[in-house]
Amino acid sequence: MRRPLCLLCMVFIGVLVFCLWRMPGPKPDFGEWEGQRVTAEGQVYKKEYKAQKFGSGRTLVVYLKAVHILEGFGQNPNASEPSENKAMQSEQISRNEIENIICYMEDGDCVMPEIGTLLRVDGKVRCFSPAGNKGEFDMEEYYRIRKLSFRLEKARMLAYGGKASVLGEGLFRLKTHFAQVLERAFPEKEASVMKAMLLGEKDGLDGEIKKLYTDSSVIHILSISGLHISVIGMGLYRILRKIGLSVKAGAVLSAGLICCYGMMTGMSLSAARAIFMFLLHLTADMAGRTYDMLTALALAAAVLLSDQPLYIHYSGFLFSFGAVASIGLLLPALYKEKRPERKKRFGKLKQAAAAGGAVTLGTLPVHLMFYYQFPWYSFLLNLAVIPLMPIVMADGLFCMLVGCFAPAWAEAAGYIGRAILWFYEQCCLWGGRIPYGVIRSGRPENWQITVYVMLLAVLAAAVHIGRGKLTAFWKYQWILAALCLLFLRTERGLQVTMLDVGQGDCIHIRSGEGKHYLIDGGSSTRSGAEEYQILPYLKQEGVKKLEAVFVTHSDSDHCNAVLGMLEEHPAEGIAMGSLILPAVSAESADGKYRELAELAEEKGVTVQYMSRGQYMEDGQMRLTCMHPGRGYDTREPNEYSLVLLLEYGGFTGLFTGDVEGDGEEEAWGYMQAYLSARHKEGGKREGAEKGESTDLPAAGQDRLTMLKVAHHGSAYSTKEEMLSALRPRLAFISCGKNNGYGHPHTELLERLENAGCRIFVTARCGAVSVGTDGEKIWVEEFR
């Protein structure tokens, strides 16, 4: 049997993934400590400086492992000076033992703890927030994968002591010194790139460059990975062998250096994978055995996953291992080197193109799973970028070493790296200007990803077994079929999703025709809701254009994210067809209302004004305005909120903004007349449970399917008379967790329950979606 160890590792990984899927295990919950000041004691295993979110300074961040939360400490606000205690024996009883935590140290602490020492700190607990919407970055899951439980803000050192790690602290100081050398040798922007590329220091990376590289799918060049290990480690090993060292001596020296380099740069997952495989390569050389890349890769994956099974959900793991596996499995299927071709001028270029194609095909599902789009021109960019990487790295390493004693030489040599980085930037900018250069397909379904990977595996196996019998035509036909399956969109019918944006409103509607609409977009508790919640959700849904964005009224918690999207229009490549505002009197239009209209016109977005009785149709879907009447006059934005009735087959949904007071009375009066005129007979239907399909009534029947509850669940809106008449089956409430208004109010919840509603609150369940094909509906909570 060929590769028995590889097969054994794959079986182990398969069993591990299956167990993780069937028995995910409990998630630790530290919510009871949120906002409390606690005292923690642990061992320093990492430290770094991070740029302050507001301001130009930097904050010391210390990572602690083997942490104990102690009782009886942190109560003295006057304790400011840390005391040294060599023994660090706590007399307190341990409340709980936690794996690791992050401490953002308070400004003014003059003592920097050394790596390996024990540290006691006092700080305010902040838990990592989970995602509330599809597409949103899940901070809780990300830090759970990194084995970090929570963070302490404004942490103060109370005591420290113990023996420092000579190696760990020495490598930290060396990294700091090298970073300063690069800052002197390169301008600020280029220095940030070189520090990320060579030292793994990404916190100070220029924001525009990071976004440019990410959008162009070349961000991998800034990660410490196999390229770094092969250039530094294998380069050193070959040099040592050429100067006469034995295989064993050269391997030991190279292994020691590369392990220290990995520790100095933070030992990222991709670096750990590359170093592990490099060490196996050296071991094979010392033992006189043949190195097999696929076996080394499988063994590295098994070792890393046995330590942290959750890596299987981590994009860095999937990208790193997927790229190498693609070269090992797919490259032979796409390119077979012939001996005469080695002498041809374009032989190496064809091989590089085939390797790039293999990596692109192998990692494409990962791109779509985590970024929901793929720039196809990145294939060409990588052909230009990767061959120059050894030169950039060699130039940076030369600058780091020479700059210690000859800064002028380092600055002069830095022009080589600066020129190549400028070339990289221009290539990315050029690629971004290619029409239709980015495929925005959204996230495929899990079954699509599984079948796609299986099809590629079958192709690789067929080429290996057939030994050249499969022609290029059939290979590419097979690949094309797999790609068509991966990019297939499978949605059907209408879908309405209320996003979790904290204390605010945002509702996405996908019509039965596959077009997209937005009702409101804003939050008073989350800054950048458009960047972190709304746009990621739209991207994962594959939205390329919003046909219309309805802004119910001008309160910031309903429109500030829409303003942000207009300022960057088309934001993340998502165009906006028209902006629809309530048709109120000129006196009622406040500054924010006018700002929305003016900015939309400036960006070329059509501005329309909607009033009572007007409607918009999209196939079977119809959106009719119930309020306000044209020229409605009020000084209260809530009162003129757009109230929209959606009809689709037997589905009816009412979107109420923040309507209250006289506005709610007028809306309800008109709606009664409207529904009476459109009343039709329909079948009886039972209430909808999560994930359960049920029959719908005909449009206009006495029960409303879905109600978006007004004003985030305020007791002063959504009156009992309206609820008694409409008796909505589903009630959606958008509000922030532990908000200062106490939404949703208990009185309102009681009214909804008395009306027979099934209630969904974003603060509890995250985003909530309701879908229908016109006959049946299904409801899904995100959490």
Side-chain angles (χ1 to χ4, degrees):
M1 180 188 296
R2 293 190 63 186
R3 298 190 175 104
L5 181 58
C6 179
L7 181 61
L8 182 64
C9 290
M10 293 305 297
V11 171
F12 171 77
I13 292 169
V15 172
L16 197 67
V17 171
F18 178 79
C19 292
L20 186 65
W21 173 52
R22 297 299 297 174
M23 299 174 288
K27 288 185 179 181
D29 183 12
F30 303 101
E32 62 175 357
W33 291 346
E34 175 70 26
Q36 295 185 22
R37 292 198 72 87
V38 300
T39 297
E41 179 180 300
Q43 185 179 28
V44 179
Y45 72 93
K46 181 181 176 181
K47 57 183 178 178
E48 61 185 346
Y49 282 99
K50 286 184 176 289
Q52 292 180 354
K53 196 169 186 180
F54 303 102
S56 57
R58 297 199 304 168
T59 300
L60 175 64
V61 180
V62 178
Y63 295 73
L64 301 181
K65 64 181 180 180
V67 175
H68 293 265
I69 301 298
L70 307 175
E71 295 185 306
F73 284 93
Q75 306 302 319
N76 183 8
N78 298 319
S80 57
E81 293 297 326
S83 61
E84 186 171 5
N85 178 359
K86 296 296 182 183
M88 285 293 293
Q89 296 296 325
S90 171
E91 297 179 358
Q92 303 301 316
I93 299 173
S94 174
R95 262 182 85 182
N96 192 23
E97 188 166 340
I98 302 163
E99 280 190 306
N100 309 312
I101 64 171
I102 310 178
C103 304
Y104 287 78
M105 306 307 294
E106 193 172 46
D107 294 339
D109 274 329
C110 57
V111 179
M112 179 186 288
E114 295 181 323
I115 292 177
T117 58
L118 298 176
L119 181 67
R120 185 176 296 156
V121 292
D122 169 284
K124 184 178 290 187
V125 174
R126 292 299 181 198
C127 296
F128 302 117
S129 57
N133 310 280
K134 292 180 180 178
E136 182 181 350
F137 176 67
D138 194 332
M139 190 178 295
E140 181 184 69
E141 180 73 6
Y142 173 75
Y143 283 105
R144 184 182 171 208
I145 290 171
R146 295 181 62 188
K147 298 184 178 181
L148 288 162
S149 302
F150 54 81
R151 67 180 185 268
L152 290 184
E153 290 186 346
K154 295 184 177 181
R156 301 174 299 174
M157 284 184 278
L158 302 179
Y160 64 93
K163 187 176 180 180
S165 167
V166 176
L167 179 62
E169 184 63 22
L171 290 174
F172 172 79
R173 295 184 180 183
L174 186 62
K175 176 180 177 179
T176 303
H177 173 70
F178 282 151
Q180 293 171 351
V181 171
L182 289 174
E183 288 169 359
R184 290 193 297 266
F186 292 89
E188 182 178 359
K189 182 170 71 173
E190 287 78 5
S192 71
V193 176
M194 296 301 289
K195 287 190 294 182
M197 187 183 295
L198 296 172
L199 300 174
E201 193 173 309
K202 294 185 179 180
D203 185 66
L205 184 62
D206 182 81
E208 292 182 3
I209 288 293
K210 183 178 181 180
K211 186 176 187 307
L212 186 64
Y213 282 16
T214 301
D215 292 345
S216 301
S217 195
V218 295
I219 192 68
H220 58 86
I221 66 175
L222 301 182
S223 299
I224 309 297
S225 60
L227 183 61
H228 297 69
I229 305 309
S230 66
V231 170
I232 299 173
M234 193 57 70
L236 177 65
Y237 178 62
R238 288 171 180 168
I239 292 173
L240 293 175
R241 291 286 292 123
K242 283 185 178 180
I243 64 176
L245 265 68
S246 65
V247 172
K248 185 175 181 180
V252 170
L253 287 174
S254 301
L257 176 69
I258 211 64
C259 288
C260 289
Y261 178 72
M263 292 171 61
M264 183 181 74
T265 57
M267 196 60 80
S268 65
L269 189 142
S270 58
R273 188 269 308 159
I275 291 173
F276 186 89
M277 294 179 68
F278 175 71
L279 295 179
L280 288 178
H281 197 160
L282 295 180
T283 303
D285 281 0
M286 287 190 291
R289 303 291 296 274
T290 302
Y291 170 75
D292 182 67
M293 185 183 71
L294 291 177
T295 299
L297 183 71
L299 186 57
V303 169
L304 289 171
L305 286 174
S306 62
D307 177 62
Q308 175 53 288
L310 292 177
Y311 278 145
I312 201 67
H313 301 308
Y314 181 43
S315 62
F317 177 90
L318 297 175
F319 272 121
S320 182
F321 282 87
V324 180
S326 299
I327 292 174
L329 295 172
L330 276 181
L331 180 57
L334 300 180
Y335 175 82
K336 186 174 182 180
E337 186 178 13
K338 300 177 182 178
R339 289 187 177 181
E341 196 171 22
R342 293 181 182 177
K343 300 180 181 179
K344 291 184 179 180
R345 179 178 299 178
F346 299 107
K348 288 188 177 181
L349 181 60
K350 289 174 65 176
Q351 185 177 14
V359 172
T360 298
L361 289 171
T363 58
L364 181 59
V366 187
H367 277 283
L368 299 182
M369 284 170 63
F370 293 96
Y371 297 107
Y372 322 119
Q373 61 185 29
F374 179 72
W376 60 263
Y377 60 83
S378 66
F379 168 74
L380 301 175
L381 286 183
N382 281 296
L383 289 179
V385 166
I386 293 178
L388 295 174
M389 275 295 294
I391 301 175
V392 179
M393 291 176 57
D395 182 65
L397 292 170
F398 178 83
C399 291
M400 285 196 311
L401 298 174
V402 174
C404 298
F405 55 85
W409 289 16
E411 187 175 353
Y415 280 98
I416 299 173
R418 290 166 64 179
I420 296 176
L421 292 179
W422 176 85
F423 174 71
Y424 285 178
E425 186 176 348
Q426 296 306 308
C427 286
C428 293
L429 291 171
W430 169 80
R433 288 192 288 265
I434 297 177
Y436 308 106
V438 179
I439 302 173
R440 296 185 174 90
S441 64
R443 190 192 189 283
E445 300 288 340
N446 289 333
W447 70 265
Q448 291 176 278
I449 296 170
T450 303
V451 175
Y452 173 84
V453 172
M454 290 176 63
L455 288 175
L456 293 186
V458 169
L459 174 63
V463 171
H464 176 72
I465 295 171
R467 299 187 182 277
K469 295 181 181 179
L470 193 64
T471 64
F473 174 80
W474 290 111
K475 289 180 188 177
Y476 295 125
Q477 290 297 315
W478 189 271
I479 292 172
L480 182 61
L483 289 172
C484 289
L485 177 70
L486 186 66
F487 287 110
L488 178 70
R489 299 298 294 178
T490 58
E491 302 95 344
R492 61 187 179 88
L494 174 82
Q495 178 177 287
V496 177
T497 301
M498 172 173 283
L499 275 65
D500 176 16
V501 290
Q503 189 69 10
D505 261 18
C506 185
I507 299 167
H508 168 249
I509 300 173
R510 187 194 70 225
S511 72
E513 305 298 315
K515 296 181 180 180
H516 302 271
Y517 302 84
L518 211 62
I519 300 178
D520 284 332
S523 175
S524 61
T525 57
R526 297 183 184 177
S527 59
E530 71 278 9
E531 180 180 359
Y532 300 112
Q533 280 85 38
I534 300 174
L535 289 172
Y537 170 82
L538 295 177
K539 285 174 66 178
Q540 74 87 33
E541 286 289 300
V543 178
K544 302 177 183 67
K545 180 182 179 181
L546 291 168
E547 300 298 325
V549 175
F550 299 83
V551 175
T552 59
H553 62 295
S554 61
D555 281 356
S556 292
D557 59 339
H558 289 251
C559 73
N560 57 14
V562 175
L563 276 169
M565 293 168 65
L566 284 171
E567 287 171 357
E568 299 296 327
H569 186 264
E572 296 292 339
I574 299 174
M576 192 181 297
S578 59
L579 177 72
I580 300 179
L581 300 171
V584 296
S585 67
E587 293 75 16
S588 300
D590 59 13
K592 189 74 71 175
Y593 181 103
R594 291 191 293 272
E595 183 183 358
L596 280 164
E598 291 169 3
L599 185 56
E601 290 176 352
E602 179 185 329
K603 296 292 184 177
V605 177
T606 304
V607 180
Q608 298 179 347
Y609 300 90
M610 198 171 197
S611 61
R612 181 184 303 143
Q614 293 182 320
Y615 61 88
M616 172 184 288
E617 288 186 329
D618 181 355
Q620 298 181 53
M621 186 185 81
R622 179 184 176 113
L623 273 170
T624 307
C625 179
M626 303 285 107
H627 180 73
R630 181 165 294 277
Y632 187 82
D633 187 50
T634 179
R635 299 299 177 271
E636 294 293 333
N638 286 348
E639 287 193 7
Y640 70 65
S641 286
L642 269 177
V643 177
L644 300 170
L645 179 68
L646 184 150
E647 298 165 276
Y648 181 87
F651 181 94
T652 52
L654 186 63
F655 306 93
T656 56
D658 277 356
V659 70
E660 60 184 7
D662 293 340
E664 185 177 39
E665 295 294 333
E666 288 201 18
W668 172 229
Y670 179 79
M671 190 172 174
Q672 285 178 304
Y674 176 87
L675 291 177
S676 177
R678 291 181 60 84
H679 184 79
K680 295 179 181 179
E681 266 189 49
K684 190 176 179 182
R685 166 186 176 273
E686 300 299 325
E689 299 292 331
K690 177 181 176 182
E692 181 183 347
S693 297
T694 53
D695 295 327
L696 280 171
Q701 193 176 318
D702 58 345
R703 292 207 70 173
L704 188 72
T705 309
M706 188 213 83
L707 170 68
K708 183 272 168 187
V709 178
H711 208 175
H712 318 290
S714 169
Y716 306 105
S717 58
T718 316
K719 299 295 175 59
E720 187 171 359
E721 177 191 1
M722 182 184 74
L723 288 173
S724 298
L726 294 177
R727 294 186 300 125
R729 301 175 184 274
L730 307 172
F732 288 3
I733 302 175
S734 178
C735 63
K737 187 176 181 180
N738 301 323
N739 62 84
Y741 304 96
H743 295 155
H745 292 154
T746 304
E747 307 94 302
L748 183 277
L749 294 176
E750 290 176 353
R751 292 202 294 268
L752 292 173
E753 289 175 356
N754 292 337
C757 295
R758 180 170 171 79
I759 304 168
F760 299 87
V761 184
T762 58
R764 182 184 67 250
C765 63
V768 55
S769 298
V770 55
T772 175
D773 57 5
E775 296 179 357
K776 297 180 181 297
I777 71 168
W778 49 93
V779 183
E780 181 181 7
E781 302 175 24
F782 181 74
R783 294 198 189 109

